[in-house]
């Protein structure tokens, strides 16, 4: 029965190659649209079992007491050629800028509270920022030693502002909060010789989001170029080199569409899925193309060569796909959600590779043999 199904697929692709191409392209367009809905997930707690008491308690604490994630804004001295640069972080100009930054941060939607050790100095000075550094030093000297150590570091080159957010695992909200916080930092007029950097868990999650997307595009591009070079060396013809790669690229798009449709996030485990699918799926196209070329060298007509290549290669490809999918689906049973996501995505990706190779690649071969190559020959004949 399997061989009969593959025969029908081969006949359809051979007799109606453009219709097959159109069907695949329509599905790819919808998959591409769905892929835009894939969400990034960098929240550490989302990568752990959601029914674990530790994680459930974390969510309860957030519900009852607000944000548990802290954005630590570090204000520190940096080298500067300015004659007016700050040489002591206790400089009143720095304290005034910190006070302005705190006030602005309180208006950011998603920031539940803002605090700074500098607030103590302002409180001790009747609610206003001291105008001279001597006053600041005098206030500090009157404070207990343990409080002084929490305001500035030992050489008075650094202090911090803590901003609490209730974004939690809401990736979209966290990105917006971090954009707003960074905007407030840039707008605050700190004096020369001072550097302001946001760190802590939320900024690191934003950085991870950026690096995951960058890694995804970079690794996929590098993998694509490397595979194309090998195909060109092997087939020695531009069109024959590109054709096995096109179905795998389409399978990558379908995988992204499935992730968007099934709400599978882009996380640390699935960020490199593009290059992974390219590497695993290209074998199918190479095997089918090689078998087709082999049949053509024996003198077989196009339709018979296509049928033999699809049926004989297809049975082996389907068996290989089944074993590979089973291996990947074993990851779904892993207690870590991100490993389960990797298993789902890899199983989907390799399945799509099989489907697209067995349906689209024969159609592309027919289009090349019956339409593109004759056209190229005619064009060459006209130029001679």
């Amino acid at each position: 029965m399997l061989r009969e199904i593959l025969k029908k697929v081969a006949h359809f692709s051979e007799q109606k190659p453009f219709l097959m191409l159109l069907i695949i392209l329509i599905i790819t367009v919808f998959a591409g649209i769905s892929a835009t809905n894939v969400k990034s997930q960098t929240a550490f707690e989302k990568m752990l079992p959601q029914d674990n008491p530790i994680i459930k308690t974390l969510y309860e604490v957030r519900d009852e007491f607000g944000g548990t994630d802290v954005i630590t804004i570090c204000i520190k001295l940096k080298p500067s050629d300015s004659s007016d640069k700050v040489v002591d972080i206790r400089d009143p100009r720095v304290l005034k800028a910190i006070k302005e930054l705190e006030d602005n941060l309180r208006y950011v939607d998603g920031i539940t509270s803002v605090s700074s050790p500098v607030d103590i100095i302002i409180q001790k000075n009747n609610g206003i920022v001291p105008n001279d550094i001597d006053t600041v030093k005098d206030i500090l000297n009157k404070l207990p030693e343990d409080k002084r150590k929490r305001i500035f570091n030992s050489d008075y080159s650094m202090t911090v502002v803590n901003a609490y957010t209730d974004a939690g695992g809401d990736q979209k909200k966290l990105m917006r909060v971090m954009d707003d916080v960074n905007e407030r930092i840039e707008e605050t007029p700190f004096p020369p010789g001072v550097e302001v950097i946001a760190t802590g868990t939320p900024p690191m999650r934003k950085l991870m989001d950026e690096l995951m997307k960058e890694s995804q595009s970079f690794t996929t591009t590098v993998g694509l170029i490397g595979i194309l070079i090998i195909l060109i060396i092997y087939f020695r013809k531009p069109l024959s080199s590109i054709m096995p790669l096109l179905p795998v690229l389409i399978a990558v798009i379908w995988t992204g569409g499935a992730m968007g449709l099934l709400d599978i996030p882009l996380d640390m485990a699935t960020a490199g899925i593009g290059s992974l699918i390219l590497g695993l799926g290209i074998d199918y196209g190479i095997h089918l193309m090689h078998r087709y070329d082999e049949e053509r060298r024996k003198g077989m007509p196009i339709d018979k060569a296509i049928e033999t290549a699809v049926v004989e290669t297809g049975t082996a490809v389907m068996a290989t796909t089944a074993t590979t999918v089973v291996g990947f689906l074993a990851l779904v049973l892993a207690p870590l959600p991100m490993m389960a996501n990797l298993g789902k995505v890899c199983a989907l990706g390799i399945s799509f590779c099989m489907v697209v190779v067995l349906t689209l690649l024969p159609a592309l071969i027919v289009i090349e043999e019956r339409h593109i190559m004759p056209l190229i020959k005619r064009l060459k004949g006209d130029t001679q």
Side-chain angles (χ1 to χ4, degrees), residues 266-288:
L266 180 70
D267 55 28
M268 288 188 293
T270 58
I273 193 64
S275 58
L276 188 60
I277 293 174
L278 285 173
L280 291 172
I282 193 62
D283 294 356
Y284 298 164
I286 292 174
H287 291 319
L288 194 148

Side-chain angles (χ1 to χ4, degrees), residues 78 84-86 91 93-94 97 189-195:
K78 69 174 183 178
D84 196 30
K85 67 180 180 180
V86 174
D91 191 312
R93 293 177 296 167
V94 177
F190 280 91
V194 175
E195 183 179 24

Side-chain angles (χ1 to χ4, degrees), residues 16-28:
K16 299 179 180 180
F18 289 103
L19 178 58
M20 177 64 79
L21 179 60
L22 179 62
I23 293 171
I24 297 295
L25 288 178
I26 291 173
I27 297 173
T28 304

Side-chain angles (χ1 to χ4, degrees), residues 223-371:
L224 178 63
I225 294 172
I227 291 171
L228 182 59
I229 292 172
I230 294 172
L231 291 176
I232 291 173
I233 294 172
Y234 179 77
F235 287 107
R236 300 179 183 277
K237 293 188 296 183
L239 281 177
S240 296
S241 302
I242 294 173
M243 284 196 298
L245 192 55
L246 288 177
V248 187
L249 282 174
I250 288 174
V252 172
I253 297 173
W254 284 21
T255 305
M259 290 176 68
L261 192 63
L262 300 175
D263 199 27
I264 301 175
L266 180 70
D267 55 28
M268 288 188 293
T270 58
I273 193 64
S275 58
L276 188 60
I277 293 174
L278 285 173
L280 291 172
I282 193 62
D283 294 356
Y284 298 164
I286 292 174
H287 291 319
L288 194 148
M289 282 284 295
H290 183 79
R291 184 59 186 267
Y292 172 79
D293 289 341
E294 188 178 275
E295 296 301 317
R296 290 288 284 161
R297 284 195 296 269
K298 293 178 182 178
M300 296 280 284
I302 294 175
D303 57 342
K304 292 297 182 182
I306 287 289
E307 179 182 322
T308 301
V310 171
V311 173
E312 299 302 327
T313 306
T315 52
V317 164
M318 293 180 79
T320 303
T321 301
T323 56
T324 306
V325 166
V326 169
F328 281 130
L329 286 179
L331 293 174
V332 176
L333 303 176
L336 287 174
M338 68 176 181
M339 295 304 295
N341 289 336
L342 178 63
K344 294 174 188 176
V345 173
C346 287
L348 286 168
I350 202 68
S351 299
F352 290 147
C353 283
M354 178 197 69
V355 171
V356 183
V357 165
L358 294 178
T359 55
L360 178 62
L361 186 53
L364 293 176
I365 293 172
V366 172
I367 291 171
E368 181 199 23
E369 290 271 21
R370 291 180 177 169
H371 301 278

Side-chain angles (χ1 to χ4, degrees), residues 53-69 112 164-166 168:
I54 296 175
I55 304 302
K56 292 171 71 174
T57 303
L58 173 65
Y59 295 147
E60 290 175 6
V61 170
R62 282 180 179 164
D63 292 339
E64 297 295 333
F65 299 99
T68 57
D69 292 329
T112 55
Y164 296 83
T165 174
D166 61 357

Side-chain angles (χ1 to χ4, degrees), residues 30-266:
F30 282 106
I33 295 172
S34 178
T36 60
N37 297 322
V38 176
K39 299 175 183 177
S40 296
Q41 185 56 263
T42 59
F44 181 70
E45 65 271 18
K46 293 293 184 180
M47 301 178 191
L48 298 171
Q50 297 300 290
D51 57 351
N52 187 282
I54 296 175
I55 304 302
K56 292 171 71 174
T57 303
L58 173 65
Y59 295 147
E60 290 175 6
V61 170
R62 282 180 179 164
D63 292 339
E64 297 295 333
F65 299 99
T68 57
D69 292 329
V70 184
I71 304 171
T72 301
I73 302 170
C74 177
I75 299 96
K76 59 181 181 178
L77 300 182
K78 69 174 183 178
S80 174
D81 296 329
S82 174
S83 59
D84 196 30
K85 67 180 180 180
V86 174
V87 295
D88 189 320
I89 205 68
R90 296 171 294 183
D91 191 312
R93 293 177 296 167
V94 177
L95 302 186
K96 288 178 181 178
I98 291 174
K99 180 66 167 61
E100 182 176 338
L101 176 61
E102 284 188 82
D103 292 340
N104 290 334
L105 289 175
R106 289 189 176 94
Y107 290 100
V108 173
D109 184 26
I111 295 295
T112 55
S113 63
V114 184
S115 65
S116 166
V118 176
D119 295 340
I120 299 174
I121 297 174
I122 296 175
Q123 291 171 4
K124 297 293 182 180
N125 196 51
N126 298 321
I128 60 174
V129 179
N131 290 320
D132 59 87
I133 196 168
D134 290 332
T135 303
V136 176
K137 293 178 180 179
D138 184 57
I139 293 172
L140 286 173
N141 289 332
K142 294 178 180 179
L143 293 175
E145 185 177 355
D146 60 328
K147 285 190 177 181
R148 288 204 303 270
K149 289 181 178 179
R150 291 200 298 267
I151 298 177
F152 302 106
N153 63 340
S154 58
D155 62 355
Y156 302 109
S157 63
M158 183 187 300
T159 189
V160 295
V161 173
N162 291 321
Y164 296 83
T165 174
D166 61 357
D170 189 334
Q171 186 76 9
K172 188 175 181 180
K173 182 176 182 179
L174 181 73
M175 295 300 107
R176 179 181 54 75
V177 168
M178 283 309 308
D179 287 339
D180 289 344
V181 168
N182 288 328
E183 184 180 345
R184 300 298 193 280
I185 291 173
E186 291 176 4
E187 291 174 349
T188 305
F190 280 91
V194 175
E195 183 179 24
V196 184
I197 299 176
T199 185
T201 301
M204 286 192 293
R205 283 177 55 189
K206 180 174 175 59
L207 176 62
M208 187 185 299
D209 179 74
E210 295 169 352
L211 291 177
M212 284 194 311
K213 292 176 181 177
E214 182 182 331
S215 297
Q216 184 185 41
S217 58
F218 177 75
T219 55
T220 303
T221 302
V222 171
L224 178 63
I225 294 172
I227 291 171
L228 182 59
I229 292 172
I230 294 172
L231 291 176
I232 291 173
I233 294 172
Y234 179 77
F235 287 107
R236 300 179 183 277
K237 293 188 296 183
L239 281 177
S240 296
S241 302
I242 294 173
M243 284 196 298
L245 192 55
L246 288 177
V248 187
L249 282 174
I250 288 174
V252 172
I253 297 173
W254 284 21
T255 305
M259 290 176 68
L261 192 63
L262 300 175
D263 199 27
I264 301 175
L266 180 70

